[in-house]
């Protein structure tokens, strides 16, 4: 193994030199400094901890919240000949123990873990034997209570300092405001000599734009027609991904959809097809894109508006990593912005709502007062909300609030819902029902209970479906397995149940209070983030690149010159020659009473804006007029004015 960072970079990654701030960050880590690295999406964050880890004896402990990203990075390292391990939810106790043994006694360079795993007894047992040379905290914004994706287990990463006092920490994120940066350093107990590196937010090849539209499908088709090459269309819901993919396919585009509800095999196949350009456009939720190394994405469209600029910046930044011109387009309409501005009340329920959910949850789990601490419970939030007639969103966010206050943890990663998708045509299904009438009620129950299940694999609730078809759950499961064996459906049963873990005993309901100042500050900051996102979407004057940079604490960034607002501002700046030319065009059209619509029909966006600027001036000077019929006409003064 080479000792020089540049030699390691060339040997394992094939790069002749570091990019941007990478070299300085690597040197900071090798000098033993705690380091915060803020690099944009595609800025090469992983190299900043992987290279220094390779340059030293021992193993790098990488803490990441994203299982898919862990697996991708471990696989990428293995392909480069670098031994790496990962521990994630779903692994058995024996598998986890074997992985920790390999990390402690094998020749491995990286161990990826989720923050929750750091607190297990098994991890604590093996940690003294693991020769850790560096702690890398990926997605470090999760550490900060004031960030957009705060996760309480991240707060406890600093406890590693007690066991690994001389091991430096490198924290990495693509987006963090100045307040969040400070909070990250404090929460991870960075030393006095810590260093912060923030790469410029300028992306000279990436053109940002935002359109307020009533008909998003029409605008989307126009955009993908005009911008060639690989594209991503981000949607907020799984349903939208399917609808957008169907729209694109119906209009002759090679498109697919991707979301967390698909099987692992389906997600892998679709991602590979897109990576290899067999699929041009991927309509997806934000489950798609993390860790994907595809440099030639020419277009990222946000079909639905993100909740905050942090998410928008990361996702938009997946376009144009190769340095060639690329486009990030945001589509929105007024109702969407109004809905977003109401989100704070939904995402952060009031104390009364949280108390109601807490009481219902304790009753649902049958936990007496002053007991329950340290216990795990199966917890189906859908069934819980239904039984207690709670709004599912209120229940979800109330539980998140309780989680952020360290009263409990709720782990949905264990849960994979049962899914069903039909694999035959409707004609074949009719023939099958005639041949196997004893399975007809199950088939009809599926079709009547789940809209679209014939076209797409759908998550099902076996308990509710069993009640609907008047069977026991065991009888229904057997029928579904038979349909699967006959090749009528693809049936994937529930793999695990979501788990709820109580960190504190149940409080007596009469004394339960939830009045956390930190919680209400997070609510206030969330509302500000929503407002910043709305202002970005509605902005028609400021350079969009500069708006983003200012939000993240870099107001010195100059206007990009290629976003929609910069282009529009250029269009509004007219030379004397251009003003006179457009004036003569307008006078000629007025002399023949030409309809205004005919003049504008063949103009591009810039031409139209310049035309309107001159026309408005001439109308104000009463040199021409527009009749009720939309036609340009001469006035008595008809003298060509000079540009002012």
């Amino acid at each position: 193994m080479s000792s020089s960072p540049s030699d390691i970079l060339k040997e394992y990654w094939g790069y002749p030199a570091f990019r941007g701030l990478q070299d300085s960050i690597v040197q900071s880590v090798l000098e033993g400094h705690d380091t915060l690295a803020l690099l944009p999406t595609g800025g090469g964050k992983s190299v900043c901890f992987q290279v220094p880890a390779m340059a030293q004896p021992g193993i790098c402990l990488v803490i990441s919240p994203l299982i898919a990203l862990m697996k991708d990075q471990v696989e990428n390292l293995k392909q480069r000949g670098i031994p790496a391990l990962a521990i994630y939810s779903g692994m058995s106790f024996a598998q986890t123990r074997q992985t920790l043994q390999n990390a402690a006694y094998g020749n491995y360079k990286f161990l990826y873990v989720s923050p929750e795993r750091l607190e297990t007894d098994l991890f604590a047992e093996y940690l003294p034997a693991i020769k850790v040379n560096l702690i890398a905290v990926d997605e470090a914004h999760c550490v900060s209570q004031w960030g957009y994706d705060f996760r309480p287990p991240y707060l406890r990463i600093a406890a590693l300092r007690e066991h690994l006092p001389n091991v430096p920490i490198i924290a990495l994120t693509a987006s963090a405001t100045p307040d969040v940066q400070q909070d990250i350093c404090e929460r991870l107990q960075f030393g006095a000599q810590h260093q912060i590196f923030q790469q410029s937010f300028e992306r000279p090849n990436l053109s940002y734009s935002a359109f307020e539209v009533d008909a998003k499908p029409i605008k989307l088709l126009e955009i993908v027609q005009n911008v060639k090459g690989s594209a991503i269309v981000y949607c907020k819901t799984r349903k939208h991904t399917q609808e957008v993919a169907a729209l694109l396919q119906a209009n002759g585009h090679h498109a697919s959809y991707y979301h967390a509800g698909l099987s692992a095999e389906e997600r892998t196949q679709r991602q590979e097809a897109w990576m290899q350009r067999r699929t041009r456009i991927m309509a997806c939720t934000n489950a798609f894109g993390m860790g994907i190394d595809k440099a030639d994405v020419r277009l990222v469209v946000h079909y639905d508006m993100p909740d905050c600029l942090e998410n928008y910046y990361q996702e938009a930044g997946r376009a144009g990593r190769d340095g060639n011109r690329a486009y990030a387009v945001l589509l929105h309409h007024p109702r969407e912005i109004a809905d977003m501005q109401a989100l704070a009340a939904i995402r952060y329920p009031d104390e009364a709502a949280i108390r109601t959910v807490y009481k219902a949850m304790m009753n649902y789990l049958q936990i007496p007062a002053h007991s329950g601490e340290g216990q795990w419970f199966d917890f189906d939030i859908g069934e819980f909300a239904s039984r207690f007639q709670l709004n599912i969103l209120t229940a979800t966010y109330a539980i998140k609030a309780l989680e952020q206050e360290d009263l409990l943890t709720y782990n949905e990663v264990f849960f994979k819902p049962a899914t069903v998708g039909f694999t035959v045509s409707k004609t074949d299904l009719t023939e099958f029902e005639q041949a196997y009438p004893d399975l007809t009620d199950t088939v009809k129950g599926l079709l009547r209970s789940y809209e679209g299940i014939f076209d797409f694999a759908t998550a099902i609730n076996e308990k509710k479906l069993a009640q609907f078809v008047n069977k026991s759950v065991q009888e229904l499961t057997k029928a579904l397995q038979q349909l699967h064996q006959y090749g009528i459906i693809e049936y994937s049963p529930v793999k695990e149940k979501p788990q709820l873990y109580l960190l504190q005993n149940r409080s007596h309901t009469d004394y339960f209070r939830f009045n956390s100042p930190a919680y209400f500050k997070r609510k206030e900051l969330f509302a500000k983030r929503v407002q910043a996102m709305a202002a970005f979407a509605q902005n028609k004057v400021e350079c969009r690149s500069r708006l983003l940079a200012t939000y993240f604490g870099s107001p010195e960034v100059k206007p990009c010159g290629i976003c929609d607002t910069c282009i529009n501002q250029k269009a509004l700046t007219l030379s004397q020659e251009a003003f006179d030319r457009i004036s003569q065009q307008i006078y000629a059209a007025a002399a023949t009473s030409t309809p205004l619509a005919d003049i504008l029909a063949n103009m591009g966006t810039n031409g139209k804006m310049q035309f309107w600027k001159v026309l408005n001036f001439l109308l104000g000077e009463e040199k021409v007029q527009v009749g009720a019929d939309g036609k340009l006409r001469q006035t008595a003064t008809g003298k060509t004015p000079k540009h002012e």
Side-chain angles (χ1 to χ4, degrees), residues 331-398:
L331 303 182
H332 66 96
H333 49 69
R335 188 185 73 248
E336 197 170 12
I337 290 176
D339 290 344
M340 270 186 56
Q341 290 170 333
L343 274 178
I346 298 171
R347 294 279 183 92
Y348 291 86
D350 60 24
E351 182 183 354
I354 294 171
R355 188 187 303 116
T356 297
V357 171
Y358 180 81
K359 178 181 178 181
M361 184 167 54
M362 295 299 109
N363 291 338
Y364 175 77
L365 298 173
Q366 299 182 340
I367 299 171
H370 312 301
S371 63
E373 181 179 341
Q375 295 183 44
W376 287 96
F377 299 89
D378 290 344
F379 188 75
D380 184 332
I381 194 168
E383 182 185 23
F384 162 69
S386 176
R387 181 183 299 183
F388 287 86
Q389 298 182 325
L390 297 169
N391 178 287
I392 186 70
L393 287 176
T394 302
T396 299
Y397 289 116

Side-chain angles (χ1 to χ4, degrees), residues 314-325:
Q314 287 201 47
E315 292 159 8
R318 296 193 174 109
R321 294 185 186 181
D322 57 6
N324 297 324
R325 179 58 59 88

Side-chain angles (χ1 to χ4, degrees), residues 7 72 181 205 212 236 258 273 325 330 360 406 427 466 550:
D7 288 345
D72 285 345
Q181 293 175 34
N205 65 309
E212 182 179 307
K236 272 192 176 177
Y258 183 108
R325 179 58 59 88
L330 171 65
D406 268 353
T427 301
T550 300

Side-chain angles (χ1 to χ4, degrees), residues 255-271:
S256 185
Y257 67 90
Y258 183 108
H259 56 65
L262 299 173
S263 68
E265 183 179 358
E266 286 175 311
R267 293 198 302 272
T268 299
Q269 288 174 348
R270 294 181 188 205
Q271 179 175 313

Side-chain angles (χ1 to χ4, degrees), residues 180-225:
V180 171
Q181 293 175 34
Q182 181 180 346
D183 203 31
I184 290 171
C185 296
E186 291 176 357
R187 297 286 177 179
L188 293 177
Q189 299 177 13
F190 274 14
Q193 302 300 314
H194 74 269
Q195 298 194 37
I196 299 177
F197 297 90
Q198 180 169 326
Q199 190 161 308
S200 171
F201 285 88
E202 291 179 289
R203 290 285 305 276
N205 65 309
L206 183 55
S207 172
Y208 296 99
S209 59
F211 297 98
E212 182 179 307
V213 291
D214 292 322
K216 288 188 180 183
I218 295 173
K219 188 64 178 177
L220 176 63
L221 291 173
E222 177 190 324
I223 293 166
V224 298
Q225 187 66 37

